[in-house]
Amino acid sequence: MLISGSPAGRRCYAAAIAASVISSTVFSVPGPAPAATRPPSVPAPQLDWRPCAQESAFDCATAKVPLDYRRPGGRTIELAVVKRKATRPGSRIGTLFFSPGGPGGPGTVQMPQVYEHFPQQVRERFDIVSWDPRGIGYSTAVNCFDSPEAAAAWTAARPAGFPVGEQQRRTWIAAYRDLARPCHQRDPELLRHVSTADTALDLDQLRRAVGDPQLTFLGASYGSFLGSTYANLFPGKIRAMVLDSNLDPQAWTNHDSPGEPRLPIFLRVGSDLSAAVTLDKFLTLCGSTTTARCAFSAGSPKATRDKFERLMRRLREHPQGKWTYGGTVGDAVYALYSVHPGWTDLAARLQDLWQGRVPRPTPPQPVVPYLGEEQAAAVLCSDSPNPRDPGAYHAIERASALRAGDAGRFWSWAAEPCATWPALAANRYTGPWNNPTAHTILLVGTTYDPSTPYRDSQALAKELANARLLTHHGYGHTELINPSSCVGDHESRYLIDGTLPPAGATCQQDTPPFAATRPLGGVATGGGARAGTAS
């Protein structure tokens, strides 16, 4: 799951959804909404494309859509949209819509960042379009602060990563509770209309706006849940759909069960277990190589794991500057999302902390739209059920830590702010998930993913009526930013002419962690679908 923000103020595209949830105990919450249905048709928005101010190679537009599709004559909101035209316009097939995930991922920022990761043949044959979903970024956005300075002060006042000890737990819970009042007061109606189903309806409006009779779509992480929702609301409109690093929709919706769930969303999905296994692989591979390739290596896998455990115990008692135990665990989970350079950079930071040095600060990021934690919270907390008692999360943390260690603590607290978020979605889609689609959907699941476990891709393959799972034997969150030329070739053939990989097909990552690299195919050398490296 992909969002913006992190405990150490870093991680770009691959930041985790965990830091983007908010809560409050102040307001009453309406009862569960009925499952989403397709609303009466409304006119398609007009897209007035113009070169983007900051990215001249891309075009930007604004789409107006109803806040509430059941009341199309009421309030409208704006969606910020971005496009990169097909590089071979004479061979153009249509538009590929891209969701970078989240919730909270601003497509107008992240699509240009990852554009070169799309297979070359896809860039040649499709206009690639993304957008900031409702509530996010440059679109009509949730914003609970009066100024950027107030937002920064709120962030600095709460524990990084997750709370450690009774005092930090009280501070954590109070911080999110205090934030919820202005969130609710500023725009309560917007908070009730930022569900995944609402965004799926927006996506169909954008499809109509570009003139495509059917949807071609690539959704990463949470974008897979958006894709699953769209596919079941508009099954006849699927031309081609690739879902990368998938969420089990039954876990997201808690099987549409009545009453309060026992576990928060990330433990239902299995993010804690998946992150723990991926962290263990990081330490194993680090310990199996030299310090020249992995600075934190202690000479063997066991010694490196022991070294990490000793460092975490030390930070728990004696933080290193602003580097606390909770913040460092959160930083490690985020860093595991992107193997290159994330794993190498993480090893260097851990080694700095081991030697008593404060890691060098991350260089300032380019100016982007406001992406406060409340934006992702508005989607997650209104759309996916979570335990409503903030006091329950300490016990949840302890239970998860028994099965998933440090990563279990991190993912247990990630959804705690949803315990008292002041709004539930007015329009949710909770199933069924097996409506037969016009064409088969291609799923890509990575075996060592710190956020969306491979088992969720297997579950989604069974849930959807028509799906084919391609297994990516690799590391990191989403194949898109941890590339495999093999996966890219399969995706290109599927998106261009509908050719699916054989049943049971598998691919390898181009460059394993901590490996010596050399160019491999792709744009850089004139061969294959992607530029990459290999050991």
Side-chain angles (χ1 to χ4, degrees), residues 135-137 139-144 183 190-191 194 370 372 374-375 378 421:
I136 310 299
S139 294
T140 300
V142 176
N143 186 343
C144 305
C183 290
L190 180 61
L191 296 187
V194 292
Y370 175 71
E374 66 269 33
Q375 293 185 3
W421 180 251

Side-chain angles (χ1 to χ4, degrees), residues 77-163:
I77 59 174
E78 294 186 343
L79 304 178
V81 190
V82 65
K83 175 176 71 174
R84 180 68 179 263
K85 294 178 182 177
T87 59
R88 288 177 53 193
S91 302
R92 178 184 176 275
I93 295 172
T95 298
L96 171 64
F97 285 92
F98 170 62
S99 168
T108 64
V109 176
Q110 292 179 337
M111 190 274 275
Q113 289 176 343
V114 302
Y115 173 77
E116 296 297 331
H117 288 272
F118 288 94
Q120 179 180 349
Q121 295 175 39
V122 172
R123 287 182 274 132
E124 290 174 346
R125 306 294 298 276
F126 291 93
D127 295 343
I128 299 178
V129 169
S130 192
W131 74 106
D132 294 357
R134 53 174 60 210
I136 310 299
Y138 288 120
S139 294
T140 300
V142 176
N143 186 343
C144 305
F145 294 97
D146 293 328
S147 67
E149 293 76 18
W154 178 86
T155 300
R158 62 162 178 78
F162 58 87

Side-chain angles (χ1 to χ4, degrees), residues 216-236:
T216 305
F217 178 77
L218 170 59
S221 190
Y222 163 78
S224 70
F225 183 68
L226 171 60
S228 298
T229 301
Y230 182 96
N232 284 278
L233 286 174
F234 302 97

Side-chain angles (χ1 to χ4, degrees), residues 41-77:
S41 179
V42 297
Q46 299 296 312
L47 298 176
D48 183 15
W49 295 109
R50 298 181 181 182
C52 299
Q54 296 180 336
E55 295 279 359
S56 60
F58 295 80
D59 293 322
C60 288
T62 300
K64 288 188 176 182
V65 296
L67 173 69
D68 183 352
Y69 279 93
R70 293 170 300 184
R71 298 175 177 82
R75 175 183 169 185
T76 62
I77 59 174

Side-chain angles (χ1 to χ4, degrees), residues 203-217:
L203 174 57
D204 197 59
Q205 286 294 90
L206 294 175
R207 175 196 61 79
R208 295 176 61 211
V210 301
D212 284 7
Q214 291 182 308
L215 179 74
T216 305
F217 178 77

Side-chain angles (χ1 to χ4, degrees), residues 127-463:
D127 295 343
I128 299 178
V129 169
S130 192
W131 74 106
D132 294 357
R134 53 174 60 210
I136 310 299
Y138 288 120
S139 294
T140 300
V142 176
N143 186 343
C144 305
F145 294 97
D146 293 328
S147 67
E149 293 76 18
W154 178 86
T155 300
R158 62 162 178 78
F162 58 87
V164 179
E166 179 61 28
Q167 180 57 53
Q168 285 197 4
R169 287 192 291 273
R170 287 198 298 266
T171 299
W172 173 284
I173 292 169
Y176 287 105
R177 178 186 298 126
D178 291 345
L179 179 60
R181 184 181 297 277
C183 290
H184 185 268
Q185 290 175 340
R186 281 174 175 245
D187 199 338
E189 281 304 298
L190 180 61
L191 296 187
R192 298 181 66 244
H193 292 284
V194 292
S195 72
T196 306
D198 290 321
T199 294
L201 298 175
D202 291 341
L203 174 57
D204 197 59
Q205 286 294 90
L206 294 175
R207 175 196 61 79
R208 295 176 61 211
V210 301
D212 284 7
Q214 291 182 308
L215 179 74
T216 305
F217 178 77
L218 170 59
S221 190
Y222 163 78
S224 70
F225 183 68
L226 171 60
S228 298
T229 301
Y230 182 96
N232 284 278
L233 286 174
F234 302 97
K237 297 297 184 182
I238 303 300
R239 176 192 170 274
M241 178 175 283
V242 178
L243 304 181
D244 176 7
S245 294
N246 300 287
L247 285 166
D248 178 356
Q250 297 287 7
W252 181 273
T253 61
N254 196 40
H255 295 265
D256 195 25
S257 299
E260 184 175 316
R262 183 176 61 88
L263 293 175
I265 170 59
F266 301 114
L267 302 197
R268 297 198 303 267
V269 167
S271 299
D272 58 336
L273 291 171
S274 188
V277 171
T278 307
L279 177 59
D280 185 72
K281 289 298 292 186
F282 163 82
L283 296 169
T284 297
L285 295 175
C286 180
S288 300
T289 190
T290 65
T291 55
R293 293 187 180 177
C294 180
F296 194 66
S297 176
S300 74
K302 182 181 185 304
T304 305
R305 287 193 292 269
D306 290 344
K307 180 180 178 181
F308 181 81
E309 290 174 5
R310 292 197 301 271
L311 176 60
M312 293 303 103
R313 287 197 298 268
R314 193 178 81 194
L315 288 173
R316 189 168 187 137
E317 300 297 328
H318 305 288
Q320 190 75 32
K322 294 183 179 180
W323 287 81
T324 62
Y325 164 61
T328 303
V329 171
D331 176 75
V333 172
Y334 290 130
L336 294 173
Y337 277 45
S338 175
V339 171
H340 303 290
W343 287 34
T344 302
D345 291 349
L346 171 61
R349 289 194 297 276
L350 292 174
Q351 185 63 15
D352 282 342
L353 291 168
W354 179 257
Q355 295 181 336
R357 297 190 300 267
V358 174
R360 287 178 295 179
T362 302
Q365 298 295 312
V367 175
V368 296
Y370 175 71
L371 298 172
E373 295 186 16
E374 66 269 33
Q375 293 185 3
V379 181
L380 176 73
C381 299
S382 67
D383 206 47
S384 181
N386 287 279
R388 299 291 296 176
D389 177 11
Y393 284 81
H394 185 207
I396 291 172
E397 172 203 344
R398 288 183 296 184
S400 182
L402 292 176
R403 72 176 192 172
D406 297 319
R409 300 183 189 279
F410 173 81
W411 283 114
S412 294
W413 282 95
E416 180 282 329
C418 291
T420 45
W421 180 251
L424 291 182
N427 186 36
R428 295 174 63 218
Y429 183 79
T430 58
W433 302 102
N434 59 352
N435 289 327
T437 49
H439 296 95
T440 301
I441 295 170
L442 176 60
L443 310 181
V444 179
T446 298
T447 49
Y448 289 100
D449 182 324
S451 179
T452 52
Y454 177 68
R455 76 179 195 192
D456 276 37
S457 292
Q458 294 174 306
L460 183 58
K462 295 177 181 178
E463 287 287 339

Side-chain angles (χ1 to χ4, degrees), residues 517-531:
T517 60
R518 60 180 173 81
L520 174 68
V523 177
T525 60
R530 301 180 192 235

